[in-house]
Amino acid sequence: MNRNHAAALVISIGAFSLSVTGAIAQDSGAMKSMPGMHMDAAAAPAGSASAKLGDLDISGGYVRAMLPGQPVGGGYITIHNAGKTDDKLTSVTSSSAGKVELHEMKMEGEIMKMREIKGGIAIPAGATVTLAPNTMHMMFKQVKTPFKQGGTVPVMLMFDKAGMVDVNLPVVSARGN
Ligand SMILES: [Cu+2]
């Protein structure tokens, strides 16, 4: 698939997740950039997952259903550090995917770009960090069975200080509600 085809495919499926577009571009070997993306609201849908781990309050966890042919899934979560010690989300694993990467999306001029966040996501003392569409997200790769609305995707979040916690993320619609 050349880059133009990837772009056309993305545009044809409409207003869906930017993680899809980024991943397609990435998988085609060109870590780029689709012009003309719009920004979604970042509010977590009803029924999203929560958990508590030490000083960390985890909420708003969910993944989006995957569209036919979509090679990767996107997941989102909010982490509040109520403690006095900085922490860091170092990695995520899931039995539903061969691997889970932490990604971020950034506008560079008119262009939205996605890249892997190396070294984890800092969760400073007192801070609330949100992984949401169009910003940071969990990217599920080598997904065994495409995520389907109504299902759940188990993840294990690993933190530098707080340790690890299992969360079952509900699968919401591909539009994120
Ligand atoms: Cu991504």
Side-chain angles (χ1 to χ4, degrees):
M1 189 191 305
N2 70 31
R3 206 182 305 178
N4 288 341
H5 283 144
L9 172 63
V10 163
I11 288 160
S12 72
I13 61 177
F16 297 129
S17 88
L18 291 166
S19 29
V20 179
T21 62
I24 290 169
Q26 182 185 11
D27 288 345
S28 71
M31 190 72 168
K32 301 268 176 312
S33 82
M34 305 290 152
M37 290 302 158
H38 20 170
M39 311 297 281
D40 306 307
S48 55
S50 59
K52 180 112 178 85
L53 175 68
D55 290 329
L56 303 180
D57 293 313
I58 296 163
S59 63
Y62 68 100
V63 302
R64 283 178 168 178
M66 292 166 65
L67 299 165
Q70 182 181 329
V72 295
Y76 311 96
I77 204 157
T78 295
I79 302 156
H80 172 64
N81 185 349
K84 293 194 160 39
T85 310
D86 294 346
D87 209 334
K88 184 193 279 187
L89 175 60
T90 52
S91 62
V92 180
T93 58
S94 174
S95 58
S96 296
K99 70 174 173 172
V100 186
E101 294 177 356
L102 298 170
H103 281 187
E104 64 183 337
M105 313 210 52
K106 281 208 166 142
M107 291 301 293
E108 293 186 9
E110 300 278 295
I111 307 292
M112 182 69 89
K113 293 192 175 182
M114 176 169 75
R115 65 184 147 224
E116 188 172 5
I117 303 169
K118 300 284 188 188
I121 297 173
I123 317 287
T128 300
V129 175
T130 301
L131 281 65
N134 305 328
T135 61
M136 297 182 286
H137 53 274
M138 296 174 268
M139 181 128 284
F140 295 81
K141 297 188 159 180
Q142 301 154 26
V143 171
K144 288 157 192 167
T145 306
F147 302 161
K148 205 173 159 213
Q149 186 171 3
T152 57
V153 172
V155 292
M156 181 185 281
L157 309 177
M158 266 152 285
F159 295 91
D160 195 24
K161 302 267 168 46
M164 51 187 75
V165 62
D166 291 307
V167 187
N168 272 320
L169 304 177
V171 183
V172 306
S173 79
R175 290 177 182 277
N177 52 27

